[in-house]
Amino acid sequence: MSFLEKNTTNSPNSETKDTQKLIFTRLSENIKKIKEVLGNSTDIIIREVAIGQSKKQRIAIIYTDGLADKTAITDFIMESLMVDLDTTLDTNSEDVIQYLKDFCLTVGDVNDIPDFQALFHSILNGETVILLEGQAKGISASTKSAKDRAVSQPTTESVVKGPQESFTETLRTNTALIRRKIKNPNLWLKSRVIGKVTQTDVAVMYINGTANDKIVKEVFTRLDRIDIDGILESGYIEAMIQDSKYTLFPTIFNSERPDVIAAELLEGKIAILVDGTPFVLIVPAILTSFLQSAEDYYQRSIVSTLIRILRLGGIIAALIAPSLFIAITTFHQEMLPTPMLISIASQREGVPFPAFVEAIIMEVAFEILREAGLRMPRTIGPAVSIVGTLVIGQAAVEAGVVSAVMVIIVSITAICSFLFPAYEMSSTIRVLRFPLMVLSAAFGLFGVFMGTMAIILHLCSLRSFGVPYMTPFAPIIPEDQKDAILLFPRSSLLTRPRLINQINTKRGSSSSNNDANN
């Protein structure tokens, strides 16, 4: 046999087909098969015992150490089968497994296992598998360990007023946090297992009768098309199901806050939860979702409107402030007042670089410092940031490498880039800043204008699961303007976004929902 033939025989596809075989009737063959496929791993615990009054029925209890709860296995499985069970079991009876499920096992969730594929999935998912001598199927009992990270405060979406809880890496904890917010039977959850190797649990949540059925169907279609060996984070799913794969703008919204996800579900959107990550995806996504904070809805509408306008102004400044400075100081000095022009010229008198090179140096230096602050240990990260921003900046000005006004422009730009409630959009703005600086250095304000128009046209061309990305500005929807840039009082927000929800557009119309379901 050649080397290629050996690799073909032991390929993952052949192993997958092998695991889809039905369970053997002989217990020894099943145990041998499990040890062979799992490589005789030491964390796979196999306990063979005899049960029944005559102790003639041989069974095997199999679980993964660390994933399964040993206390639950001892109290609800081992004790129930070995101590409480005093009935003579007939090995050849077809009802022996049903008898164990109905009268012996005291765990909450018990399911049949017809083949080895389901068996391995249950074992590696933290469940306990019970195999019986003479039976061609097994039983899986839910004994997943409750060891997970406790619900804590959000780290990327902190608020002063509002719930102080965030999602964790456990899927069932995350679904429970959402159900605590929406106690409605129309909140449906459907699951998928994605990833041939990782077998990652993915859950889709939506409010039946509120979410658009076409979008729900499209979500499941795209999820079912995913063919990959592993899913380790929700970003994997996002990259596989997004509409446009070659855009800097995120077309799928994500959040670690249960209240934000609940609010999006109430608007008719769909949540995608991935086991192992605290970030939940929301589709469809529009641009305004990335510009709004959860705290906007927890305070007075006038205050929230002013904060949104301030936030939008800061975001625009983060995008075009360096390019405007380059264009004005290089091509359009007449736009500046004479005293300001003289002050800037005197500061740049000893600087050996043009304004464009000066801005590039400072922007790149800031990005390096920002990455270093994120990757550094938390104990020395703040110190590095302080040294980088104060000492290095001041030293660069005194050395004549950059001007003081450029340090001010870059500092303002850096601060404004953190005004985004969504981190993904902040990264996009930082990247787009550089091509705008190149255009401003080449063509002045005309280049800045053309670059800005190109960005707007690109935004208008994007869609998220069929919904225009610039909704409600393009197309213009007057009714949805109440919660776009401005925020009207809560009593005026009586409708859901029209292009997202086309079934139940009125908020509070639960009676029509129930009638439709019935």
Side-chain angles (χ1 to χ4, degrees):
M1 182 182 292
S2 64
F3 176 76
L4 179 60
E5 291 175 345
K6 290 181 180 179
N7 286 344
T8 304
T9 304
N10 298 325
S11 64
N13 292 332
S14 62
E15 291 181 2
T16 303
K17 294 179 180 179
D18 198 33
T19 57
Q20 293 178 351
K21 292 182 178 179
L22 298 179
I23 295 176
F24 303 121
T25 56
R26 295 187 60 183
L27 186 61
S28 58
E29 294 182 2
N30 291 327
I31 295 176
K32 180 181 178 181
K33 182 67 177 180
I34 293 172
K35 291 182 178 180
E36 178 184 346
V37 174
L38 296 179
N40 203 16
S41 302
T42 56
D43 61 338
I44 305 299
I45 309 301
I46 302 177
R47 174 76 183 277
E48 296 185 62
V49 296
I51 62 173
Q53 188 175 11
S54 60
K55 304 300 181 184
K56 293 182 179 180
Q57 176 66 65
R58 301 289 300 176
I59 69 170
I61 301 173
I62 310 163
Y63 62 93
T64 303
D65 189 14
L67 295 181
D69 189 353
K70 291 184 178 180
T71 303
I73 295 173
T74 302
D75 296 342
F76 304 120
I77 296 180
M78 302 288 290
E79 185 175 349
S80 299
L81 295 177
M82 300 177 64
V83 179
D84 298 337
L85 185 62
D86 58 357
T87 305
T88 302
L89 295 177
D90 184 4
T91 304
N92 298 322
S93 174
E94 297 180 356
D95 298 329
V96 59
I97 291 181
Q98 191 64 36
Y99 180 86
L100 294 178
K101 292 168 57 178
D102 294 342
F103 301 103
C104 300
L105 297 177
T106 56
V107 292
D109 188 12
V110 180
N111 298 301
D112 291 334
I113 296 182
D115 51 31
F116 279 103
Q117 184 177 12
L119 183 144
F120 291 123
H121 181 266
S122 298
I123 294 175
L124 299 176
N125 206 30
E127 299 176 355
T128 299
V129 172
I130 303 172
L131 299 178
L132 293 83
E133 179 72 37
Q135 300 294 326
K137 64 179 181 178
I139 307 173
S140 69
S142 179
T143 56
K144 295 180 182 179
S145 177
K147 297 178 181 178
D148 57 354
R149 183 169 63 91
V151 177
S152 58
Q153 293 185 358
T155 56
T156 60
E157 301 175 72
S158 58
V159 297
V160 177
K161 182 181 180 182
Q164 301 294 327
E165 60 182 4
S166 65
F167 291 117
T168 68
E169 286 77 14
T170 305
L171 179 62
R172 281 294 164 256
T173 302
N174 296 339
T175 57
L177 289 173
I178 297 176
R179 287 199 179 275
R180 284 178 56 189
K181 302 290 183 182
I182 305 178
K183 304 179 182 68
N184 192 296
N186 290 323
L187 180 60
W188 288 6
L189 186 148
K190 297 182 179 180
S191 300
R192 292 287 191 273
V193 177
I194 302 178
K196 294 181 179 179
V197 178
T198 59
Q199 294 287 297
T200 305
D201 293 323
V202 178
V204 178
M205 296 188 75
Y206 61 95
I207 300 179
N208 184 44
T210 301
N212 192 325
D213 294 336
K214 294 182 179 179
I215 300 179
V216 173
K217 183 178 179 181
E218 180 65 21
V219 169
F220 285 112
T221 300
R222 297 189 186 186
L223 289 177
D224 294 337
R225 282 204 303 257
I226 296 178
D227 185 13
I228 193 172
D229 58 348
I231 299 293
L232 301 179
E233 210 272 338
S234 59
Y236 286 56
I237 300 291
E238 180 179 356
M240 300 291 286
I241 67 173
Q242 62 184 352
D243 289 65
S244 179
K245 295 179 175 57
Y246 303 101
T247 179
L248 290 174
F249 291 91
T251 55
I252 296 179
F253 181 70
N254 69 77
S255 175
E256 64 172 344
R257 296 182 59 90
D259 56 332
V260 173
I261 301 300
E264 298 286 355
L265 289 173
L266 291 173
E267 288 190 350
K269 298 181 182 179
I270 303 162
I272 303 174
L273 299 89
V274 181
D275 190 24
T277 176
F279 290 93
V280 176
L281 305 179
I282 282 290
V283 295
I286 57 178
L287 180 63
T288 55
S289 298
F290 298 92
L291 308 179
Q292 299 170 354
S293 173
E295 199 171 10
D296 295 346
Y297 301 93
Y298 302 148
Q299 54 190 355
R300 292 184 299 276
S301 59
I302 297 178
V303 177
S304 299
T305 298
L306 294 177
I307 292 177
R308 281 187 177 183
I309 294 174
L310 181 64
R311 187 185 300 143
L312 181 61
I315 291 170
I316 295 174
L319 177 64
I320 65 174
S323 56
L324 283 179
F325 178 80
I326 294 171
I328 292 175
T329 55
T330 305
F331 296 97
H332 312 283
Q333 297 91 345
E334 67 278 0
M335 296 182 62
L336 296 175
T338 303
M340 181 180 293
L341 182 61
I342 295 174
S343 176
I344 294 175
S346 62
Q347 294 178 25
R348 302 194 68 257
E349 184 177 0
V351 177
F353 306 110
F356 170 69
V357 177
E358 188 181 358
I360 289 293
I361 292 175
M362 291 302 299
E363 289 290 347
V364 172
F366 170 75
E367 292 298 327
I368 293 175
L369 290 172
R370 186 186 66 84
E371 283 295 321
L374 290 175
R375 307 292 175 250
M376 284 284 184
R378 293 186 178 181
T379 54
I380 62 176
V384 172
S385 300
I386 294 175
V387 171
T389 54
L390 295 181
V391 178
I392 297 179
Q394 183 178 359
V397 173
E398 293 179 355
V401 179
V402 296
S403 61
V405 65
M406 181 57 71
V407 174
I408 296 175
I409 294 295
V410 173
S411 300
I412 294 175
T413 303
I415 294 173
C416 291
S417 64
F418 292 106
L419 289 175
F420 276 102
Y423 177 78
E424 293 84 359
M425 192 62 72
S426 175
S427 303
T428 300
I429 293 300
R430 291 202 305 271
V431 173
L432 290 176
R433 193 184 301 154
F434 289 95
L436 284 179
M437 291 164 60
V438 173
L439 290 174
S440 65
F443 305 104
L445 288 180
F446 178 74
V448 177
F449 174 77
M450 294 303 296
T452 306
M453 289 301 299
I455 294 174
I456 295 175
L457 291 175
H458 176 66
L459 288 172
C460 293
S461 67
L462 293 177
R463 287 180 175 268
S464 177
F465 285 80
V467 177
Y469 196 62
M470 288 292 287
T471 304
F473 306 111
I476 297 178
I477 304 176
E479 188 66 23
D480 293 348
Q481 300 293 332
K482 297 178 180 180
D483 188 17
I485 300 300
L486 306 179
L487 179 61
F488 281 48
R490 177 62 60 180
S491 58
S492 302
L493 305 178
L494 301 178
T495 59
R496 296 184 174 90
R498 185 170 62 87
L499 290 182
I500 297 175
N501 186 292
Q502 301 176 356
I503 302 174
N504 182 18
T505 58
K506 298 293 183 181
R507 294 183 183 270
S509 56
S510 57
S511 59
S512 61
N513 263 352
N514 295 333
D515 294 339
N517 293 332
N518 294 332

